Amino acid sequence: MKRFLQSVIARACCVSLVGISLIVFSQSIARWMIMVGGLLFIIPGLVSLIGFFRRDSEGRGVMLYPLVAAGSILFGVILLIWPDLFKEAMIYILVGMLMLAAATQSYSLWRIHRSGVRLSGLYHLVPALELAAGLYVILAKNEALVPGLPAIIVGSGFILYALLEFWTVYLVRKSNIGSDNTVVQREN
C-alpha cells in the first residue's frame, strides 16, 4: 500500500505542475508542448538513423528501418516548424487525459469506499466537475472571447484532480488500511 500511495503522490505532483503550467502560460503552453514533442520525435529518429548506418554491411536486412527513422525526423521537424497546425489537437488530447483521469479517480474513490474508508458523497463531485470541464472545452468553441480559455479550464481540472488525490492519500493514511485492503481499527 505504501508504494501505491507514493505513486499517487508522484502522479498528483506531476499533474499539478502541468495544471499550473497550463494556467500560467495558457496562450503559449500548447505550442511549446508541441515543439517539445517534435524534439522527442527527432531525437530517436536521429539515433535510429545513425545506428542503422553505423552497423556493418552484413547486419543490414530490411530497408524499412531507416524509412521509419526518417519519417520520425520529418514529423518532428513539421511539429517544430508548424506547431499551430496541431495546437487544437493538443488541447483535445489534454482534454482526453483530463476526462480519463476523472474516470480513473472516480473508480479509485469507489474502491477506497469499498475497502471501508468513509467518504462523503461530495468526493464524487470533483471527478464529475472534471468531466464537465472536459465536455465544456470540447463542446464550447469560445476561445475568441478569452484567449487560452481551454488551456485554463483544463489546467484548473488538473489542479482539482491533484488536490483530490492528495486528500485521498491523507484519508487513506488516516484510516490505516491494512495489506488486505481492509480498514484496521485504531486502538486508543
Side-chain angles (χ1 to χ4, degrees):
M1 183 59 101
K2 182 179 178 183
R3 188 168 279 200
F4 169 74
L5 292 178
Q6 289 173 345
S7 71
V8 170
I9 290 171
R11 183 175 58 229
C13 287
C14 292
V15 168
S16 64
L17 287 176
V18 170
I20 290 169
S21 299
L22 283 169
I23 291 172
V24 172
F25 307 109
S26 62
Q27 294 181 6
S28 61
I29 191 72
R31 181 182 188 144
W32 284 104
M33 289 174 81
I34 292 167
M35 293 173 79
V36 168
L39 282 175
L40 293 176
F41 271 98
I42 290 173
I43 292 169
L46 286 173
V47 169
S48 298
L49 203 58
I50 291 169
F52 177 78
F53 287 117
R54 288 191 57 164
R55 292 173 52 189
D56 58 351
S57 61
E58 298 169 4
R60 293 187 191 177
V62 179
M63 293 299 290
L64 184 64
Y65 191 63
L67 291 176
V68 171
S72 177
I73 293 169
L74 180 64
F75 185 63
V77 168
I78 289 171
L79 287 175
L80 277 175
I81 294 174
W82 296 296
D84 292 332
L85 290 175
F86 300 95
K87 189 175 181 180
E88 190 172 342
M90 184 65 176
I91 293 295
Y92 286 127
I93 290 170
L94 289 172
V95 167
M97 289 172 54
L98 175 64
M99 293 176 80
L100 182 64
T104 303
Q105 193 172 44
S106 182
Y107 176 72
S108 295
L109 288 172
W110 176 73
R111 285 192 59 204
I112 289 169
H113 178 72
R114 282 195 47 178
S115 70
V117 177
R118 298 183 141 250
L119 295 175
S120 168
L122 294 175
Y123 286 107
H124 295 284
L125 182 65
V126 174
L129 288 174
E130 294 165 1
L131 284 170
L135 286 173
Y136 178 77
V137 170
I138 290 173
L139 299 176
K141 299 285 187 185
N142 58 356
E143 189 175 355
L145 299 175
V146 178
L149 182 64
I152 293 171
I153 292 172
V154 172
S156 300
F158 280 156
I159 289 173
L160 197 60
Y161 170 84
L163 290 175
L164 187 63
E165 288 291 295
F166 286 131
W167 185 252
T168 303
V169 168
Y170 169 76
L171 286 178
V172 169
R173 283 188 176 171
K174 182 180 167 186
S175 66
N176 277 342
I177 292 185
S179 60
D180 59 348
N181 286 338
T182 59
V183 175
V184 178
Q185 297 295 326
R186 289 188 181 190
E187 295 185 25
N188 294 327

